[in-house]
Amino acid sequence: MSQLTVYADNNANKALVSTSNADDIAKQLAKVNVHFEQWQANADINQHTTHEQIISAYKSDIDRLKIKNGYQTVDVISLAKGNLGASELRKKFLFEHTHSEDEVRFFVKGQGLFCLHLGNKVYQVLCQQGDLISVPELTPHWFDMGSDPEFTAIRLFNNTEGWVAKSTDSSIAEQFPLLD
């Protein structure tokens, strides 16, 4: 189940807001210019579905976002449980950083925890199957995929080079709960 938890950025022990209602999550995030919505596939998705078939299953939603926001590149990333490189891959995202473009992720399968540092608050958004999050460019954030991640996600990019992060050199990500 999707979850939004909001904390003061100086107190990871007490939630200011906590909700698993998708409409409430979308409304709370819209207040800080973060887009959240849920999609349904137009075809069955299983472990044998190719990346091309996944993109096709969500084509109308992908095309809508591409037209609205000018995204140029769409791909699918998958990570299976038991991946020997998971620990190193997890570290790659567990520091506060920004991007020069929106970070747009749709979870076809599995989950991930987006942590957004906006003003004096931290918004932790647990995205699960069917959830789309769009983090605006230059938003300080970090991402946790968990210690034994399993997910498939569609990514949309403005930049044809894909994911490029710039560290904020803050240690705030170390102070907040992880996915597991």
Side-chain angles (χ1 to χ4, degrees):
M1 179 178 305
S2 311
Q3 178 72 37
L4 170 65
T5 309
V6 182
Y7 301 92
D9 67 358
N10 61 359
N11 187 353
N13 297 314
K14 183 179 180 205
L16 304 172
V17 174
S18 181
T19 183
S20 58
N21 179 287
D23 290 336
D24 291 342
I25 293 170
K27 287 175 187 171
Q28 288 287 326
L29 292 176
K31 292 178 187 177
V32 291
N33 201 31
V34 174
H35 184 73
F36 177 89
E37 63 183 62
Q38 295 183 315
W39 294 355
Q40 293 292 321
N42 66 14
D44 288 335
I45 306 286
N46 61 47
Q47 69 269 20
H48 304 294
T49 307
T50 67
H51 289 183
E52 293 78 19
Q53 290 168 325
I54 289 171
I55 290 172
S56 179
Y58 295 99
K59 184 173 179 4
S60 63
D61 286 311
I62 291 169
D63 288 348
R64 176 178 50 82
L65 288 184
K66 285 174 77 175
I67 290 167
K68 181 180 177 187
N69 299 311
Y71 300 123
Q72 298 176 28
T73 305
V74 177
D75 70 10
V76 176
I77 183 170
S78 294
L79 196 59
K81 276 198 173 294
N83 184 305
L84 297 178
S87 178
E88 285 303 310
L89 190 56
R90 184 183 196 192
K91 288 178 192 174
K92 181 178 176 181
F93 307 108
L94 273 179
F95 68 97
E96 188 182 69
H97 59 274
T98 63
H99 303 284
S100 61
E101 65 173 312
D102 299 346
E103 182 165 352
V104 184
R105 299 293 179 270
F106 172 74
F107 285 81
V108 175
K109 173 180 148 184
Q111 65 182 1
L113 181 67
F114 279 87
C115 305
L116 317 170
H117 187 193
L118 301 163
N120 61 356
K121 294 181 182 165
V122 170
Y123 294 72
Q124 288 196 319
V125 187
L126 177 62
C127 294
Q128 297 192 321
Q129 181 175 337
D131 293 343
L132 173 118
I133 189 167
S134 179
V135 179
E137 66 180 332
L138 304 178
T139 299
H141 68 283
W142 60 96
F143 175 74
D144 186 16
M145 63 180 70
S147 59
D148 191 13
E150 178 180 31
F151 64 85
T152 299
I154 296 173
R155 307 183 300 175
L156 291 95
F157 299 99
N158 293 102
N159 176 347
T160 56
E161 295 174 15
W163 193 83
V164 179
K166 182 178 183 335
S167 176
T168 65
D169 295 322
S170 170
S171 62
I172 192 167
E174 299 166 12
Q175 301 166 28
F176 284 84
L178 297 175
L179 188 54
D180 50 21

